[in-house]
């Protein structure tokens, strides 16, 4: 039988994983990365990292961008417009 501490750790891991997946295909934050770039700048990218810090192999999690080209390419971080004043 599982101990209560094992169940608690397992539940916490499950909740963190669900939050990570529910964040959407494009994750990350321009605000958290302190990024706002003009024009097209491939270095102005935010790669979502799970709370555990582990490298993910989930192909559904894509980087998001904080440059003005992201509007046309539709790969902006969720807070790009509000944080960068666009």
């Amino acid at each position: 039988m599982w101990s209560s501490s094992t169940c608690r750790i397992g539940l916490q891991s499950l909740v963190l994983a669900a939050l990570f997946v529910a964040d959407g295909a494009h994750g990350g934050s321009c605000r958290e990365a302190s990024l706002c770039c003009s024009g097209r700048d491939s270095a102005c990218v935010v790669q979502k990292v799970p709370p555990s810090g582990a490298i993910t192999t989930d192909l559904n999690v894509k980087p998001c961008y904080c440059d003005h080209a992201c509007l046309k390419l539709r790969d902006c971080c969720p807070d790009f417009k509000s944080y960068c004043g666009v």
Side-chain angles (χ1 to χ4, degrees):
M1 201 75 197
W2 294 19
S3 70
S4 63
S5 63
T6 302
C7 289
R8 192 174 315 125
I9 291 170
L11 182 59
Q12 288 172 343
S13 297
L14 183 62
V15 168
L16 286 174
L19 289 172
F20 178 69
V21 170
D23 204 19
H26 293 286
S29 167
C30 297
R31 179 181 310 279
E32 289 177 15
S34 298
L35 286 175
C36 283
C37 307
S38 59
R40 186 172 185 171
D41 185 348
S42 61
C44 203
V45 61
V46 178
Q47 180 67 52
K48 179 121 174 113
V49 178
S52 67
I55 296 173
T56 181
T57 57
D58 185 352
L59 298 177
N60 293 322
V61 178
K62 300 174 184 163
C64 61
Y65 293 84
C66 302
D67 62 355
H68 284 100
C70 74
L71 296 168
K72 183 175 183 179
L73 299 171
R74 296 184 175 175
D75 57 0
C76 298
C77 292
D79 66 345
F80 170 71
K81 289 182 180 179
S82 61
Y83 179 67
C84 296
V86 176

